[in-house]
């Protein structure tokens, strides 16, 4: 009995041992299977993370490079996103994509930094010159810095006035332009490893090739801290002259905010008929700088003199106003301007847009002009204060508005040949020789004095004024060149003849316009 029981237990023990091995094998298989599934899950998770990282990076690159790589794909998250994507595609196909010029490939000789000085239009011309110089020297230009320390103290940056992206991309087939220096090069500037200098005024390209280029190659970076009139008007290669025009007339586009507001002003004027833009340079700073005090009382003369002495960069301090006026070197006064426009038989009912800052003497000095031409307007009277609040204390942005309106006017009349007068004159020539009355101030003040003294009656005065200005209406003409006297010759930007298209019956001659 005991033996049988022991054998039975032995058999059960053997069966139990076999079952344990099977259970152990089963557990090992289960563990192995779980680990495989875990590995597979980890691989899938890692792959998903990598794929989403690539998607995010490609989307970011798409935003930077313009072609929206992924944004045209239909969304898998919501129906609304799919509809929005479809609408975006429809709009994209209806507007032709902007074709960028191919990048010019060249060996970079270094970096050129420039700090412009002066008002808007002086800086505008300087920027055109600096682009041409950078192209000629095969260097990389950093977006120019605008003047913030002059009389106007305008804090505007380049991108506050001009469309900086358009400026860079539209010229990429000529010169490489960067918004800022690369970090490695920027560090050199921060350490003071940059050569700063003002270039010589009215220099030709040989000066920049022989004097400036070696400095750029030596120091890698050169900073030109003055840019006004640093490139000669004449004697430059034709491709350089045409590049100056291309920058001025195409690359230097104002910001959309300025362009839109300028169009509003123009549309408001056009709704009431033709209009004349009068660039009336009779602001306080202009009179103080020039020393021209015709029509001012003793208190005003003293105030203007104090202001002239307060600014050390205005070199000329003692000025004979009467002598300067007779030489035609003073801006016309509002009273002289009223007589001149009337003598030219400008329609007294035409709208006259005053493109200027605050007129010195205000209503007292403007009374005769307002009486002769009652439809005087300014941007401040055409627009609401809220429209101009972003432009307050930004004189260059205000000047940009006046520039746009001046280009579109039926007639443009500057009373002084400052930078805006010259640059607008040249731009209007480029737009098809639009009527620009270029006043002969030296002759005019003499005729006005004769009329005021009774030596000439009105008919004689008017006839003389009209005869003197018959060929001073922005007609095609040769640019006057005076050897070794660049300040006295015609300014390139006032008459960029190398860039102008003439009709078949017009040709330029040394004596001016001749018709065949």
């Amino acid at each position: 009995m005991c033996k049988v029981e022991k054998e039975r237990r032995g058999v059960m023990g053997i069966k139990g041992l076999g079952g344990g091995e099977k259970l152990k094998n089963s557990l090992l298989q289960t563990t192995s299977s779980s680990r495989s599934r875990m590995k597979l899950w980890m691989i899938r998770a890692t792959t998903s993370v990598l794929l989403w990282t690539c998607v995010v990076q490609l989307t970011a690159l798409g935003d930077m490079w313009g072609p929206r790589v992924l944004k045209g794909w239909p969304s898998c998250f919501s129906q609304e996103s799919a509809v929005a994507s479809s609408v975006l595609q429809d709009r994209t196909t209806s507007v032709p994509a902007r074709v960028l010029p191919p990048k010019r490939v060249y060996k970079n000789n270094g970096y050129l930094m420039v700090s412009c000085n002066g008002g808007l239009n002086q800086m505008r011309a300087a920027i055109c010159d600096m682009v041409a110089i950078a192209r000629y020297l095969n260097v990389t230009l950093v977006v120019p810095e605008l003047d913030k320390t002059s009389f106007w103290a305008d804090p505007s940056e380049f991108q506050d006035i001009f469309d900086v992206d358009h400026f860079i991309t539209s010229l990429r087939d000529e010169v490489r332009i960067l918004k800022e220096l690369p970090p490695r090069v920027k560090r050199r500037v921060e350490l003071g490893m940059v050569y700063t200098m003002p270039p010589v005024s009215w220099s030709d390209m040989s000066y920049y090739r022989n004097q400036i280029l070696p400095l750029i190659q030596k120091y890698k970076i050169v900073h030109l801290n003055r840019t006004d009139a640093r490139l000669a008007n004449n004697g430059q290669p034709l491709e350089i002259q045409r590049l100056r025009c291309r920058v001025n007339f195409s690359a230097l586009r104002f910001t959309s905010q300025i362009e839109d507001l300028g169009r509003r002003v123009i549309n408001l004027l056009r709704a009431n008929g033709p209009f004349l833009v009068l660039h009336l340079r009779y602001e306080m700073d202009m009179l103080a700088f020039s020393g021209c005090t015709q029509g001012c009382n003793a208190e005003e003369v003293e105030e203007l003199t104090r202001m002239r002495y307060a600014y050390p960069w205005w070199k000329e301090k003692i000025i004979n106003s009467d002598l300067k006026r007779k030489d035609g070197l003073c801006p016309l006064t509002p009273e002289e301007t009223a007589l001149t426009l009337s003598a030219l038989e400008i329609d007294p009912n035409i709208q006259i847009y005053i493109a200027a800052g605050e007129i010195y003497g205000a209503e007292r000095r403007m009374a005769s002009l307002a009486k002769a031409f009652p439809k005087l307007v300014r941007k401040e009277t055409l627009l609401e204060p809220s429209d101009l609040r972003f432009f307050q204390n930004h004189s260059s942005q205000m000047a940009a508005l006046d520039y746009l309106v001046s280009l579109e006017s039926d007639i443009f009349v500057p009373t002084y040949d400052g930078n805006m007068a010259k640059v607008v004159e040249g731009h209007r020539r480029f737009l098809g020789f639009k009527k620009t009355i270029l006043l002969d101030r030296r002759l005019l003040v003499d005729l006005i004095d004769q009329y005021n003294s009774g030596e000439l009656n009105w008919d004689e005065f008017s006839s003389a004024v009209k005869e003197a200005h018959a060929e001073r209406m922005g007609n095609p003409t040769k640019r006057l060149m005076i050897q070794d006297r660049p300040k006295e010759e015609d300014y390139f930007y006032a008459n960029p003849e190398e860039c102008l298209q003439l009709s078949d019956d017009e040709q330029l001659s040394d004596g001016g316009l001749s018709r065949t």
Side-chain angles (χ1 to χ4, degrees):
M1 182 72 180
C2 291
K3 186 176 180 180
V4 174
E5 183 70 24
K6 287 180 180 178
E7 289 176 356
R8 189 177 293 173
R9 288 180 180 177
V11 173
M12 289 179 66
I14 292 170
K15 289 181 178 178
L17 180 61
E21 288 177 353
K22 288 181 181 180
L23 179 62
K24 183 177 180 181
N25 290 336
S26 176
L27 289 171
L28 288 173
Q29 289 177 359
T30 302
T31 303
S32 177
S33 177
S34 298
R35 287 176 180 172
S36 297
R37 284 197 296 271
M38 179 65 73
K39 286 181 181 178
L40 182 60
W41 183 86
M42 289 295 292
I43 291 170
R44 287 176 177 174
T46 304
T47 303
S48 298
V49 170
L50 288 173
L51 286 173
W52 275 110
T53 302
C54 291
V55 168
V56 171
Q57 292 296 326
L58 285 172
T59 304
L61 289 173
D63 288 337
M64 291 172 59
W65 290 345
R68 301 302 196 249
V69 179
L70 299 173
K71 289 185 178 178
W73 293 3
S75 173
C76 58
F77 295 110
S78 68
Q79 184 177 357
E80 290 81 0
S81 297
V83 173
S85 178
S86 175
V87 172
L88 179 62
Q89 285 181 334
D90 292 341
R91 288 180 180 176
T92 304
T93 54
S94 64
V95 179
R98 181 186 168 202
V99 179
L100 297 177
K103 287 184 178 180
R104 176 171 169 257
V105 179
Y106 60 94
K107 180 184 176 182
N108 181 32
N109 286 321
Y111 296 87
L112 181 64
M113 299 172 60
V114 297
S115 295
C116 301
N117 57 291
L120 173 66
N121 293 287
Q122 181 171 302
M123 293 191 290
R124 183 187 185 101
I127 292 166
C128 300
D129 291 345
M130 293 301 118
V131 169
I133 291 166
R135 167 64 175 84
Y136 187 79
L137 300 181
N138 283 333
V139 298
T140 296
L141 177 68
V142 181
V143 169
E145 178 187 18
L146 303 188
D147 192 345
K148 302 178 186 64
T149 60
S150 64
F151 171 82
W152 302 278
D154 187 339
S156 298
E157 301 287 353
F158 186 99
Q159 62 270 18
D160 297 324
I161 298 175
F162 300 108
D163 184 337
V164 65
D165 293 322
H166 174 75
F167 175 69
I168 292 171
T169 56
S170 66
L171 293 169
R172 61 189 234 155
D173 59 331
E174 294 285 358
V175 63
R176 185 183 180 211
I177 304 174
L178 301 177
K179 292 182 181 179
E180 60 180 5
L181 290 167
R184 170 181 56 84
V185 184
K186 192 175 183 179
R187 180 63 178 159
R188 293 174 61 92
V189 175
E190 292 169 349
L191 294 173
M193 301 169 65
V194 57
Y195 192 87
T196 299
M197 62 171 291
V200 176
S201 299
W202 309 111
S203 298
D204 60 22
M205 280 299 179
S206 63
Y207 164 80
Y208 289 95
R209 182 181 65 246
N210 299 329
Q211 302 294 324
I212 304 300
L213 182 57
L215 292 173
I216 296 176
Q217 292 172 327
K218 179 180 179 180
Y219 294 97
K220 304 303 179 187
I221 319 162
V222 166
H223 174 215
L224 302 182
N225 56 9
R226 292 189 69 84
T227 57
D228 56 312
R230 304 294 152 158
L231 185 59
N233 292 312
N234 304 293
Q236 309 311 311
L238 180 60
E239 61 270 18
I240 291 298
Q241 301 290 63
R242 288 182 173 169
L243 179 56
R244 294 166 91 178
C245 292
R246 179 179 168 187
V247 180
N248 191 23
F249 304 140
S250 177
L252 284 178
R253 187 168 69 190
F254 293 124
T255 63
S256 58
Q257 183 185 24
I258 293 174
E259 293 269 354
D260 291 345
L261 197 56
R263 275 192 291 271
R264 279 187 57 193
V265 173
I266 293 164
N267 290 337
L268 288 169
L269 289 164
R270 283 272 173 246
N272 294 311
F275 66 96
L276 176 152
V277 167
L278 180 63
H279 185 40
L280 186 61
R281 287 309 315 272
Y282 211 74
E283 303 96 338
M284 185 178 182
D285 64 289
M286 180 70 236
L287 301 182
F289 168 74
S290 65
C292 298
T293 56
Q294 175 73 13
C296 296
N297 58 40
E299 184 179 343
E300 290 171 333
V301 171
E302 184 179 350
E303 181 181 37
L304 294 171
T305 303
R306 283 198 307 270
M307 183 178 187
R308 183 164 63 254
Y309 276 87
Y311 290 90
W313 52 83
W314 291 349
K315 303 297 184 184
E316 194 176 9
K317 302 300 182 183
I318 301 174
I319 300 173
N320 186 323
S321 178
D322 291 336
L323 183 61
K324 197 168 185 178
R325 175 177 174 269
K326 289 184 181 299
D327 286 339
L329 301 176
C330 286
L332 292 184
T333 68
E335 296 88 351
E336 291 168 341
T337 302
L339 284 172
T340 300
L341 295 181
S342 296
L344 288 168
E345 297 186 345
I346 299 296
D347 184 355
N349 292 313
I350 195 171
Q351 299 172 97
I352 294 184
Y353 176 92
I354 305 294
E358 184 178 352
I359 302 302
Y360 190 63
E363 293 184 8
R364 179 178 69 85
R365 300 307 302 270
M366 292 291 289
S368 59
L369 183 61
K371 182 178 180 181
F373 299 92
K375 293 184 179 179
L376 295 181
V377 295
R378 304 170 61 93
K379 51 186 170 292
E380 293 85 357
T381 60
L382 290 170
L383 299 170
E384 296 295 330
S386 58
D387 296 323
L388 293 170
R389 69 178 183 275
F390 295 112
F391 296 83
Q392 296 299 327
N393 302 318
H394 293 81
S395 60
S396 291
Q397 296 184 44
M398 287 287 203
L401 285 176
D402 286 342
Y403 188 95
L404 290 172
V405 180
S406 298
L407 289 184
E408 293 297 321
S409 64
D410 297 281
I411 307 172
F412 177 65
V413 184
T415 61
Y416 186 71
D417 53 357
N419 288 291
M420 177 171 171
K422 292 175 181 177
V423 177
V424 169
E425 175 193 344
H427 205 151
R428 287 173 65 87
R429 288 179 185 272
F430 177 77
L431 294 174
F433 300 98
K434 301 178 75 172
K435 189 173 183 178
T436 302
I437 303 178
L438 307 172
L439 301 177
D440 185 340
R441 296 189 306 280
R442 184 172 184 174
L443 174 66
L444 279 172
V445 296
D446 181 53
L447 291 174
I448 289 170
D449 288 346
Q450 291 185 57
Y451 171 70
N452 286 334
S453 66
E455 296 178 45
L456 294 175
N457 62 36
W458 177 257
D459 290 338
E460 292 170 332
F461 170 68
S462 178
S463 178
V465 171
K466 286 185 289 187
E467 182 180 354
H469 293 86
E471 295 298 323
R472 298 176 66 90
M473 300 287 176
N475 315 63
T477 183
K478 288 286 287 183
R479 192 168 61 244
L480 175 66
M481 292 182 283
I482 305 177
Q483 190 70 28
D484 299 325
R485 288 189 291 169
K487 288 185 178 181
E488 299 176 32
E489 66 183 6
D490 287 347
Y491 191 39
F492 171 79
Y493 292 100
N495 186 10
E497 61 184 60
E498 296 89 339
C499 314
L500 305 180
Q501 296 290 330
L502 301 177
S503 60
D504 294 337
D505 63 340
E506 294 175 344
Q507 66 179 23
L508 295 175
S509 66
D510 292 335
L513 174 66
S514 64
R515 298 185 180 276
T516 57

